[in-house]
Amino acid sequence: MTGVPGFCVAPHGATADRATIAALGEVPVAALGDVLGRRGIMDAGIKPLSDMTRIAGPALTVETRPGDNLMLHAALKIARPGDILVVNGHGYAEAAVWGMLMTHTAIAVQLGGLIIDGALRDRQEIVASGFAAYTRWICAAGPHKDGPGQVNLPVACGGVAVRSGDVIVGDADGIVVIAAEDAGFALHKGRAKVAAEDRRAREINEDGVLHQGWLIPTLSKMGLFGTDGAQ
């Protein structure tokens, strides 16, 4: 680690293999969240700039003082192709810590995407560039560049703890954070979840009935139906 606690850059954390990360990017965030116990999903305030956004990659974490983006610039200096920049901007709404000029740099270094628990600006230009970004706020005001801040140490973002190297998957529904050591499990269970839901969808389309074996027993315990489904 270079620097001192509170003003430092740490090495990248261990992550999952590229093939697993790419495959996770094809599984809906909702399905991954379900199989992970409905945990690890960032709160609903973190939204994509475009509903067409999909991201999957290892987390490059940043914690910065509210309204300051010095350490985001530092993170871009060490970013690897495919990294997802995950920023704890402490939810600050009154100054953007990211804009189009930084987006040009992010595209040049092949950053895989951006998540800010804070604010960004230049929304239309960023969407037009095709760069994948999520944020809590949009604000035209610019940032300071003084620090302090930290890169590649654990952060909180959208109410979820994120470590450098954790696998980040995002789509129009939101973001899920998967520990690198759980990536294989999440992929296997997530694919199985999608397959099961596809089967249920086909059944509904074929006979117009959603087969929910748990529903009548649950309702009967509440006195709403008999065990045979009769009212």
Side-chain angles (χ1 to χ4, degrees), residues 55 72 84-85 87 98 111-116 120 131-135:
I55 60 173
L72 275 75
I84 307 296
L85 197 60
V87 183
W98 186 277
L111 197 72
L114 167 73
I115 305 164
I116 298 179
L120 59 69
F131 180 70
Y134 293 72
T135 189

Side-chain angles (χ1 to χ4, degrees), residues 165-208:
D166 283 350
V167 180
I168 306 297
V169 182
D171 60 19
D173 285 343
I175 301 289
V176 64
V177 180
I178 305 169
E181 59 269 25
D182 294 335
F185 170 87
L187 177 58
H188 173 70
K189 293 295 186 180
R191 283 174 165 170
K193 172 78 171 177
V194 171
E197 291 186 349
D198 286 346
R199 286 193 298 272
R200 290 172 67 188
R202 288 195 299 271
E203 291 170 355
I204 295 169
N205 291 334
E206 289 169 0
D207 59 23

Side-chain angles (χ1 to χ4, degrees), residues 58-72:
L60 169 56
T61 58
V62 180
E63 186 270 333
T64 187
R65 180 171 65 88
D68 189 285
N69 74 354
L70 177 63
M71 299 310 284
L72 275 75

Side-chain angles (χ1 to χ4, degrees), residues 76-114:
L76 285 173
K77 288 293 186 183
I78 66 165
R80 305 166 301 186
D83 281 350
I84 307 296
L85 197 60
V86 180
V87 183
N88 178 6
H90 298 279
Y92 189 64
E94 304 307 321
V97 296
W98 186 277
M100 191 58 210
L101 289 177
M102 296 182 77
T103 300
H104 284 301
T105 301
I107 292 170
V109 301
Q110 302 177 55
L111 197 72
L114 167 73

